[in-house]
Amino acid sequence: MPAVSKGDGMRGLAVFISDIRNCKSKEAEIKRINKELANIRSKFKGDKALDGYSKKKYVCKLLFIFLLGHDIDFGHMEAVNLLSSNKYTEKQIGYLFISVLVNSNSELIRLINNAIKNDLSSRNPTFMCLALHCIANVGSREMAEAFASEIPRILVAGDTMDSVKQSAALCLLRLYKTSPDLVLMGEWTSRVVHLLNDQHMGVVTAAISLITCLSQKNPDEFKTCVSLAVSRLSRIVSSASTDLQDYTYYFVPAPWLSCKLLRLLQCYPPPEDGAVKGRLVECLETILNKAQEPPKSKKVQHSNAKNAILFEAISLIIHYDSEPNLLVRACNQLGQFLQHRETNLRYLALESMCTLASSEFSHEAVKTHIETVINALKTERDVSVRQRAADLLYAMCDRSNAKQIVAEMLSYLETADYSIREEMVLKVAILAEKYAVDYSWYVDTILNLIRIAGDYVSEEVWYRVIQIVINRDDVQGYAAKTVFEALQAPACHENMVKVGGYILGEFGNLIAGDPRSSPLVQFNLLHSKFHLCSVPTRALLLSAYIKFINLFPETKATIQEVLRCDSQIRNSDVELQQRAVEYLKLSSIASTDVLATVLEEMPPFPERESSILAKLKKKKGPGAVSVTELDDGKREAGELNGGGDRGPDTAAMAASNASTPSPSADLLGIRSAAPVGAAQTNAGSLLVDVFSDSGPAAPSAAVNDDGFLSSAPPSEDPAPPLSEADELLNKFVCKNNGVLFENQLLQIGIKSEYRQNLGRMYLFYGNKTSVQFASFTTTVSCPGELHKPVEPLVEGGAQIQQVLNIECITDFSDAPLLNIKFSRYGGALQNLTLKLPVTINKFFQPTEMSSSDFFQRWKQLSQPQQEAQKIFKANHSMDTEVLKAKLLGLGTALLDNIDPNPENYVCAGVIQTKSQQIGCLLRLEPNAQAQMYRLTLRCSKDTVSKRLCELLAQQF
Amino acid sequence: MMRFMLLFSRQGKLRLQKWFTSMSDREKKKIIRDMTTMVLARQPRSCNFMQWKDLKIVYKRYASLYFCLGVESQENELLALEIIHRYVELLDKYFGNVCELDIIFNFEKAYFILDEFLMGGEVQETSKQIVNRSIEASDMLQEDDSSEWYEVELFG
């Protein structure tokens, strides 16, 4: 039994707790609990009315049982009854039970709300505080509906007690976070801001949390708080440690309030008023100076509180990112902490430096600490500190130190904790690719990666090295030589066998001149690994073998022997068996020419975003890779960025002569795929004939309009776009399929799909009349003037289909035009021009990110021209689901829990063009009352912000 | 803001749980499980901070009890550590040399003290004097109305 039993000791409760503690086994405990539950249930159900004390005691026991981890399905009503008791202690237990056990959608909320209402109007400060606590604890929408208008009044009323004000401020904050639409500011805004001046430090401490949250939402309405916060901060910073009495914590004046003030200031840009700014800079300098003073106490609480303020000040300095002097001082201070004996400080310094590394002013200063950080990676005992060191190395890496950092990370990998190996592997792979100046270094790095941490090398990583080797002919010979050497290790990882098999199958000939790596030696080396490998690797090896037969005819007999043996040709795995049979047959019957064609070297992969980067983003949340970093990655590694996320699939390898059309060079390179005809025609015979001379595998037809155009009527200039062309275009911003155009003659339907910077659009031209359209031609033009043929005749009632392949080369504003000409039998020539619904947003890749990442990036995109904003009237329904569907249709990721106001929508995405990636952040704030929206876009490219803003303003 | 505070013993027994946002029971159970395993597995003299999903986990051990706080990513870790310490001080002041047993047997008091100190995941009052005064005041209220029940209370 405890020594202390202040106030009301509930003896029955204490006895019960003792019993539970004395239970020898889980079973005994459960038995005791069930007995108690039965007892309580019978008491609650009994005829005799329970007095308040018993009720309180039983409710408290139920609470205890719940906290032990058992489910409680009764007693809620009794707890609610306690709320209306006029005894404080009963009321208090009632509220505690409700706070812990009642979830926000309970049916009891109405009853609870009644009790709360009574207590709020009781004018008894203790009761009022209990009620406010309960609201803040439950925080449901019903409660917000009931009290959101009442609480601001309590908060700003002149006669409210300080303790009630504190509770009211934080209660309001909680309601604002759950239901911001119900918490209306307006007339009390300025009175809330002025709570920053309150005499009572506790009131300021509580109120500032509310003000900070409101300022993030409505920076303009609350901007007067900046100067108030600066002067309050300045008073605290310059006060002696005894001035603030009980608000001094271990000789540090008001650490909580100081940090919150510094945090509030991080919601705003640096103050414009020179005097205010001067005062603030002075405060920041004082804080930095104080860090150098000898401590006033040896207690860790003293240094923690002091350093908490210091770190918050550094965050503010980094946020402003405009005072080089302060930034360098901050960096030096963090540099000192990197070698501090307190692990906590080393951890925080590493974390804080990660953000400093992204500032232009301090990137170089951060780099000077590289040795210390590397040392931390090697010697820290705590894995979470090592993790931070690895993060910082990744953040500070650039071309000048990439080799060193990658080497250190690789050597760390050999002993790294299992929990972080996969992430480390991805980071090494990304850095190696991003900063590779010579490809042999890149190949060495990745092969080392596979050697050291093969199990953690995901498919993306080894796909990527192959994509790059295939796309870069200057590294192929080196790669072949290196994998050949790596495969000679007695035990090598299966991933190494995959890379080795693939690369030797493609480029083994480049090293075959050396007798030590003659074709047969290569083959025997690969085949010595065969029996140790899994089925997919074996399949890959079989493909490598057939490629060998093509590369080195002298190996044919040996390889055929292998393919012919029972373990291959009768393998129980269908895939392996099929490959063995087919390859054997292929090698026996095909002529050398046919073999050479079928087994030709793989064509280069189309350039895409690194799949590894995508994987890291997915794995870590976007925190790992910022939008700007993506941009750099593209810029710096431009020539190296080879492949797509299509893995070098083994089957594709066997049939490598599939044509790979070269990307066109125009803004929107639109090239035709095979003109696929008459998909749904009901009078197809004629059309099929027309088509027969344009084969499906003729990528050159993309630009040459052979035959068809010449049979077109004497060329007439395309008509100017229809007046409604823009409107039609707007219908497709948030969707990909639908009817683009319809009049009494013709209907044009569209189906389209986009991936990264590529798209494919199917156009369906339907003849609504009963007579044939003749000389039907369509022309797609964007600056490049590319034509493409369609079948010149469209039968009455028939529909023909046209396919466009689209590639986004760079960002653009004007949609391509589609001109259609045809003549009806006996009618005039029809000539109409539409805008093809290809808009920049089609090339969005959604990006998921956490709230902190979002805001960090939002801040990074703070140049005025990067932002575009529009306030406009709602043209369509403001229904949540409709809006969500539209925003998803836009192609971005719709992010929840970012905007403190859940009514607002926040989206993020990256626009993929061939030349670059453009990070875009979007925020849409609906105002249902005014039927208005405010739309804000921030993109890493100003033209994109502008264009997206124009496009989207039409959508809502 | 803070999302949750958990108190658990070295054996992983949960002694107190405080959630500052609404969460399903399943989520709560998962967090409790993750926190106890993660924190208890830490080596002595490790740093007091960890990253867990998008939260910062700040923990500290006092005698046999671990105090574990989950805060959002923009929060200050050192200050979170001192929030824990201030809470321990408040408990200590109230119980006089507080130990795990005090919290087990007077869990409701531990909640009341926490509620005076923190609210809605933010610090409400940092002054030790003020918090203690209001706790004592509510004890006084309890003593006032405790007269009548002693005769009723005989057995659990």
Side-chain angles (χ1 to χ4, degrees):
Chain A
M1 292 288 280
V4 178
S5 182
K6 276 195 181 180
D8 65 329
M10 282 176 278
R11 224 183 84 81
L13 176 65
V15 169
F16 175 58
I17 296 176
S18 290
D19 281 3
I20 295 288
R21 287 179 53 75
N22 290 334
C23 286
K24 293 276 183 294
S25 63
K26 194 80 195 160
E27 290 72 36
E29 183 185 306
I30 290 174
K31 214 172 136 199
R32 178 69 185 88
I33 285 171
N34 285 337
K35 187 179 149 204
E36 193 63 39
L37 286 174
N39 174 41
I40 300 173
R41 199 175 268 129
S42 74
K43 287 281 194 301
F44 283 167
K45 278 198 183 148
D47 308 330
K48 221 171 64 185
L50 286 178
D51 61 84
Y53 168 72
S54 311
K55 229 184 258 172
K56 174 182 84 166
K57 183 183 65 187
Y58 293 130
V59 165
C60 212
K61 280 183 181 176
L62 286 178
L63 188 53
F64 181 78
I65 294 171
F66 175 77
L67 291 171
L68 281 177
H70 301 269
D71 291 332
I72 295 294
D73 53 7
F74 68 103
H76 300 70
M77 205 53 206
E78 284 72 14
V80 173
N81 286 340
L82 285 177
L83 297 183
S84 41
S85 163
N86 47 15
K87 287 195 185 130
Y88 178 74
T89 146
E90 289 165 15
K91 198 186 271 294
Q92 197 183 20
I93 295 288
Y95 273 125
L96 179 61
F97 184 92
I98 304 287
S99 302
V100 174
L101 257 119
V102 172
N103 51 27
S104 51
N105 47 21
S106 161
E107 307 139 23
L108 292 169
I109 289 284
R110 266 201 1 215
L111 291 170
I112 298 169
N113 278 358
N114 265 336
I116 292 176
K117 201 164 275 164
N118 288 335
D119 282 336
L120 280 185
S121 50
S122 70
R123 311 196 61 75
N124 173 339
T126 10
F127 287 7
M128 288 172 87
C129 283
L130 280 181
L132 290 167
H133 268 282
C134 183
I135 301 174
N137 276 320
V138 178
S140 67
R141 181 138 184 112
E142 288 93 334
M143 285 199 172
E145 278 163 0
F147 304 111
S149 53
E150 175 65 16
I151 295 169
R153 247 184 301 234
I154 298 176
L155 176 61
V156 297
D159 57 347
T160 305
M161 299 269 292
D162 288 333
S163 61
V164 179
K165 268 192 202 167
Q166 286 167 279
S167 300
L170 292 176
C171 182
L172 192 57
L173 171 59
R174 177 68 206 277
L175 292 187
Y176 185 73
K177 282 187 175 167
T178 33
S179 318
D181 54 317
L182 296 177
V183 178
L184 299 170
M185 292 158 327
E187 79 259 37
W188 50 270
T189 301
S190 80
R191 298 176 72 180
V192 169
V193 172
H194 278 89
L195 288 172
L196 286 175
N197 272 338
D198 201 282
Q199 295 277 305
H200 190 284
M201 296 276 275
V203 172
V204 191
T205 308
I208 194 170
S209 298
L210 173 67
I211 295 169
T212 306
C213 180
L214 292 172
S215 300
Q216 281 164 348
K217 275 317 284 181
N218 318 282
D220 288 342
E221 276 131 84
F222 282 82
K223 64 170 177 261
T224 45
C225 71
V226 172
S227 59
L228 293 180
V230 170
S231 66
R232 189 98 210 188
L233 180 68
S234 149
R235 268 180 282 157
I236 296 172
V237 168
S238 57
S239 63
S241 55
T242 50
D243 289 356
L244 303 174
Q245 294 154 1
D246 209 29
Y247 289 94
T248 296
Y249 181 83
Y250 290 87
F251 303 100
V252 180
W256 279 280
L257 182 52
S258 306
C259 285
K260 285 186 170 189
L261 286 163
L262 288 162
R263 180 95 41 78
L264 172 60
L265 292 170
Q266 287 172 54
C267 305
Y268 289 92
E272 282 157 20
D273 180 332
V276 177
K277 188 171 181 195
R279 207 162 170 200
L280 178 56
V281 169
E282 216 169 274
C283 284
L284 294 172
E285 279 169 347
T286 314
I287 293 171
L288 287 168
N289 292 341
K290 278 192 179 170
Q292 303 299 328
E293 290 170 9
K296 294 197 177 70
S297 154
K298 285 213 167 68
K299 287 246 159 80
V300 67
Q301 284 75 28
H302 170 71
S303 60
N304 279 351
K306 195 166 125 177
N307 290 328
I309 299 175
L310 179 61
F311 275 106
E312 210 57 62
I314 291 176
S315 297
L316 182 62
I317 292 169
I318 298 173
H319 166 75
Y320 286 163
D321 201 14
S322 60
E323 300 279 334
N325 183 27
L326 288 176
L327 277 166
V328 169
R329 281 193 68 183
C331 189
N332 291 341
Q333 183 62 56
L334 293 179
Q336 281 183 25
F337 283 155
L338 283 183
Q339 314 207 34
H340 203 280
R341 59 186 170 79
E342 276 272 338
T343 317
N344 285 345
L345 289 180
R346 296 198 301 274
Y347 176 96
L348 294 175
L350 290 165
E351 183 188 63
S352 215
M353 269 206 177
C354 262
T355 40
L356 262 184
S358 60
S359 159
E360 270 180 53
F361 293 113
S362 47
H363 182 78
E364 288 303 314
V366 170
K367 272 167 61 185
T368 58
H369 298 289
I370 185 167
E371 296 302 334
T372 320
V373 183
I374 287 172
N375 200 36
L377 187 65
K378 286 180 179 158
T379 59
E380 283 291 350
R381 286 170 33 180
D382 183 345
V383 53
S384 41
V385 185
R386 292 198 298 271
Q387 167 88 61
R388 288 277 163 261
D391 287 349
L392 178 53
L393 282 180
Y394 181 72
M396 65 161 71
C397 192
D398 61 19
R399 215 178 269 287
S400 71
N401 55 21
K403 281 202 175 171
Q404 185 187 12
I405 286 179
V406 166
E408 292 296 346
M409 286 174 109
L410 269 178
S411 79
Y412 172 62
L413 250 182
E414 305 208 34
T415 55
D417 311 75
Y418 295 107
S419 54
I420 60 172
R421 281 195 183 186
E422 190 181 352
E423 195 189 315
M424 290 287 295
V425 166
L426 292 175
K427 284 185 165 168
V428 169
I430 290 169
L431 292 178
E433 180 183 335
K434 188 166 162 184
Y435 299 114
V437 261
D438 66 284
Y439 302 99
S440 50
W441 176 72
Y442 170 75
V443 169
D444 284 344
T445 304
I446 300 296
L447 292 184
N448 263 329
L449 209 52
I450 295 174
R451 193 175 49 73
I452 293 167
D455 283 344
Y456 297 89
V457 172
S458 53
E459 304 221 301
E460 287 84 351
V461 174
W462 75 263
Y463 285 178
R464 189 72 183 153
V465 69
I466 285 175
Q467 288 165 359
I468 285 175
V469 169
I470 299 237
N471 287 17
R472 303 281 327 180
D473 43 19
D474 53 344
V475 75
Q476 289 159 354
Y478 181 80
K481 181 165 158 283
T482 323
V483 284
F484 177 77
E485 280 161 9
L487 283 174
Q488 280 170 329
C492 62
H493 196 273
E494 189 164 335
N495 279 335
M496 188 72 88
V497 179
K498 289 179 184 163
V499 176
Y502 200 103
I503 288 185
L504 293 180
E506 294 291 331
F507 308 114
N509 54 329
L510 300 177
I511 55 168
D514 187 328
R516 284 166 300 176
S517 53
S518 69
L520 262 181
V521 175
Q522 284 184 41
F523 170 74
N524 287 332
L525 181 61
L526 277 181
H527 198 54
S528 69
K529 315 284 180 193
F530 189 90
H531 63 288
L532 298 169
C533 294
S534 63
V535 169
T537 310
R538 290 184 188 196
L540 185 150
L541 286 177
L542 289 180
S543 297
Y545 297 169
I546 186 75
K547 289 224 155 192
F548 266 43
I549 293 183
N550 174 45
L551 288 179
F552 317 115
E554 67 265 39
T555 60
K556 184 171 171 178
T558 320
I559 290 174
Q560 281 181 333
E561 200 57 45
V562 168
L563 292 176
R564 201 176 290 123
C565 78
D566 279 359
S567 63
Q568 308 296 356
I569 211 157
R570 292 182 205 280
N571 196 295
S572 58
D573 185 274
V574 181
E575 177 67 30
L576 293 182
Q577 191 188 84
Q578 187 177 357
R579 285 193 192 213
V581 170
E582 288 178 3
Y583 292 161
L584 184 61
K585 205 70 191 164
L586 183 67
S587 66
S588 343
I589 58 170
S591 69
T592 348
D593 285 351
V594 171
L595 260 191
T597 316
V598 174
L599 300 171
E600 202 184 341
E601 192 180 298
M602 284 295 281
F605 288 81
E607 295 208 359
R608 298 248 179 95
E609 179 199 2
S610 159
S611 49
I612 310 177
L613 212 54
K615 165 118 180 175
L616 184 66
K617 276 188 281 183
K618 206 162 115 201
K619 191 173 154 50
K620 262 222 118 175
V625 214
S626 69
V627 172
T628 43
E629 197 174 343
L630 283 175
D631 280 349
D632 289 359
K634 269 300 192 196
R635 195 173 56 236
E636 304 209 26
E639 56 301 33
L640 183 55
N641 258 341
D645 49 9
R646 147 167 81 109
D649 167 65
T650 44
M653 176 177 159
S656 63
N657 66 338
S659 65
T660 43
S662 59
S664 44
D666 260 301
L667 172 64
L668 262 179
I670 295 180
R671 59 176 183 261
S672 91
V676 187
Q680 291 156 50
T681 177
N682 49 12
S685 59
L686 187 80
L687 292 174
V688 174
D689 258 33
V690 175
F691 280 127
S692 54
D693 57 350
S694 81
S700 58
V703 247
N704 302 337
D705 14 3
D706 37 15
F708 291 123
L709 258 195
S710 55
S711 67
S715 189
E716 178 179 313
D717 286 342
L722 294 176
S723 54
E724 67 266 36
D726 274 313
E727 200 180 309
L728 297 173
L729 176 80
N730 282 331
K731 288 204 299 193
F732 283 84
V733 170
C734 294
K735 61 175 186 179
N736 286 337
N737 305 327
V739 173
L740 174 66
F741 172 80
E742 186 159 13
N743 62 13
Q744 66 273 40
L745 303 178
L746 180 70
Q747 183 196 53
I748 306 176
I750 281 189
K751 272 191 181 175
S752 51
E753 55 195 36
Y754 294 87
R755 252 188 102 196
Q756 309 211 330
N757 68 329
L758 301 175
R760 174 166 295 162
M761 180 178 284
Y762 297 85
L763 291 162
F764 301 91
Y765 302 97
N767 181 345
K768 289 172 72 180
T769 67
S770 53
V771 285
Q772 198 182 60
F773 290 164
S775 312
F776 191 88
T777 62
T778 66
T779 314
V780 173
S781 61
C782 48
E785 281 280 306
L786 300 174
H787 308 281
K788 72 151 330 242
V790 250
E791 38 292 0
L793 299 177
V794 185
E795 291 295 345
Q799 191 184 48
I800 54 167
Q801 183 189 341
Q802 179 183 27
V803 189
L804 301 175
N805 282 325
I806 298 161
E807 183 178 14
C808 179
I809 309 290
T810 179
D811 69 296
F812 62 96
S813 294
D814 292 331
L817 298 177
L818 171 68
N819 173 256
I820 301 149
K821 289 184 202 140
F822 60 91
S823 49
R824 255 182 336 146
Y825 178 71
L829 179 79
Q830 303 285 326
N831 181 349
L832 65 108
T833 301
L834 296 165
K835 291 195 173 177
L836 264 191
V838 180
T839 45
I840 185 72
N841 65 293
K842 299 293 180 197
F843 305 96
F844 259 130
Q845 292 283 104
T847 318
E848 294 292 343
M849 59 177 82
S850 71
S851 157
S852 56
D853 295 316
F854 183 88
F855 286 112
Q856 191 190 345
R857 259 173 257 183
W858 183 264
K859 276 188 227 152
Q860 280 166 356
L861 298 171
S862 58
Q863 291 168 30
Q865 67 274 23
Q866 286 176 327
E867 179 176 294
Q869 194 174 69
K870 238 188 185 126
I871 297 173
F872 53 91
K873 239 184 154 45
N875 290 319
H876 304 278
S877 152
M878 293 185 84
D879 179 75
T880 316
E881 292 311 311
V882 175
L883 284 179
K884 278 189 180 163
K886 281 188 182 168
L887 288 166
L888 286 173
L890 183 63
T892 53
L894 182 56
L895 305 173
D896 290 329
N897 301 323
I898 301 271
D899 203 304
N901 180 348
E903 295 298 299
N904 292 347
Y905 300 89
V906 166
C907 303
V910 175
I911 291 183
Q912 310 271 347
T913 73
K914 189 181 171 216
S915 57
Q916 68 179 142
Q917 303 193 342
I918 301 155
C920 304
L921 303 175
L922 174 156
R923 185 184 192 206
L924 180 69
E925 300 160 273
N927 179 337
Q929 271 114 15
Q931 289 286 304
M932 300 280 284
Y933 290 98
R934 178 162 74 181
L935 172 71
T936 314
L937 275 144
R938 288 191 177 185
C939 306
S940 51
K941 199 160 179 194
D942 48 358
T943 47
V944 175
S945 300
K946 213 167 130 255
R947 177 59 181 156
L948 281 175
C949 198
E950 283 164 9
L951 279 174
L952 292 178
Q954 311 294 326
Q955 300 301 315
F956 301 103
Chain B
M1 72 178 280
M2 290 167 258
R3 296 273 189 84
F4 57 83
M5 184 187 245
L6 302 177
L7 272 63
F8 47 86
S9 70
R10 259 191 309 170
Q11 291 74 35
K13 284 235 176 206
L14 191 65
R15 297 303 182 203
L16 197 84
Q17 44 176 312
K18 180 76 186 176
W19 308 93
F20 296 107
T21 53
S22 11
M23 241 181 274
S24 70
D25 287 344
R26 254 187 73 192
E27 284 173 283
K28 287 181 185 171
K29 287 207 167 115
K30 168 142 183 34
I31 291 177
I32 293 170
R33 205 173 46 239
D34 283 7
M35 288 306 120
T36 44
T37 40
M38 269 170 64
V39 169
L40 293 174
R42 300 278 289 169
Q43 301 289 321
R45 305 186 53 78
S46 295
C47 80
N48 297 86
F49 318 129
M50 284 180 293
Q51 188 75 37
W52 181 78
K53 302 198 173 159
D54 58 339
L55 294 185
K56 289 173 173 173
I57 306 302
V58 176
Y59 71 95
K60 189 159 180 182
R61 180 175 156 186
Y62 287 86
S64 58
L65 210 53
Y66 283 91
F67 290 68
C68 174
L69 203 55
V71 302
E72 290 178 354
S73 59
Q74 75 278 12
E75 291 291 317
N76 191 309
E77 289 99 330
L78 288 173
L79 221 42
L81 206 51
E82 295 316 299
I83 286 176
I84 292 176
H85 187 73
R86 174 64 20 134
Y87 182 48
V88 173
E89 286 183 342
L90 291 167
L91 292 171
D92 200 59
K93 179 92 177 110
Y94 181 78
F95 290 107
N97 214 353
V98 65
C99 67
E100 191 181 340
L101 275 183
D102 292 321
I103 294 172
I104 297 174
F105 279 94
N106 301 286
F107 67 95
E108 79 284 9
K109 285 283 184 296
Y111 272 111
F112 298 150
I113 296 171
L114 191 61
D115 276 349
E116 291 294 330
F117 176 38
L118 306 176
M119 181 171 172
E122 300 285 345
V123 175
Q124 177 177 217
E125 178 54 81
T126 65
S127 159
K128 206 156 56 169
Q129 282 171 16
I130 294 183
V131 173
N132 277 320
R133 239 183 277 142
S134 57
I135 295 290
E136 274 159 24
S138 65
D139 273 349
M140 298 296 287
L141 284 173
Q142 289 176 346
E143 265 147 30
D144 284 349
D145 61 35
S146 63
S147 48
E148 56 194 296
W149 51 261
Y150 268 112
E151 53 265 36
V152 195
E153 168 66 40
L154 288 170
F155 193 74

